Amino acid sequence: MAKRLCSELFVSRLSFYTTEEGLRRLFSPFGSIKEVRLVKDPSTQRPKGFGFVAYESEVEADRALKALNGRIVDGRLIFVEFAQTRGPKKAADSREDASDNIG
């Protein structure tokens, strides 16, 4: 079965000095970008060192991944991979199962 690609990339090991605008400039030569998101610490508003770049198409995302994965950006070796879609959280289910076993 063929692996289905997605149009959103997960970018990790980013420098804390990398900005959303810098990330957009870095990824824009590979296609039309829908969204760039740097994940930030809620209390300090400093970047956590990873983010997401969403493209209009899977082909553009694949092209960017192949070109930028393992590159040095702002002094850091970055990793680029397809973002994983999250399923429903299992923590709530496991708590319910545990409470069934209590006395």
Side-chain angles (χ1 to χ4, degrees):
M1 188 159 84
K3 181 179 177 184
R4 185 185 178 312
L5 302 177
C6 79
S7 61
E8 186 170 26
L9 299 174
F10 173 70
V11 186
S12 60
R13 295 188 39 90
L14 290 168
S15 164
F16 296 115
Y17 299 105
T18 302
T19 63
E20 285 185 357
E21 185 55 38
L23 209 54
R24 182 177 297 278
R25 275 195 310 271
L26 178 66
F27 280 82
S28 65
F30 305 100
S32 181
I33 296 176
K34 288 195 307 189
E35 179 185 20
V36 173
R37 240 174 30 254
L38 275 181
V39 178
K40 296 181 180 179
D41 181 280
S43 59
T44 64
Q45 291 303 306
R46 289 188 56 201
K48 287 188 165 192
F50 63 94
F52 298 89
V53 177
Y55 281 94
E56 294 290 335
S57 78
E58 296 169 356
V59 173
E60 294 168 330
D62 186 52
R63 193 178 320 138
L65 181 146
K66 288 176 180 170
L68 295 175
N69 186 36
R71 290 257 320 260
I72 294 180
V73 177
D74 293 333
R76 298 285 306 262
L77 177 70
I78 66 167
F79 295 109
V80 181
E81 58 189 281
F82 288 107
Q84 301 291 317
T85 56
R86 289 187 182 183
K89 290 188 178 184
K90 298 289 182 188
D93 295 338
S94 62
R95 274 187 264 134
E96 289 172 10
D97 293 340
S99 64
D100 291 342
N101 295 331
I102 298 175

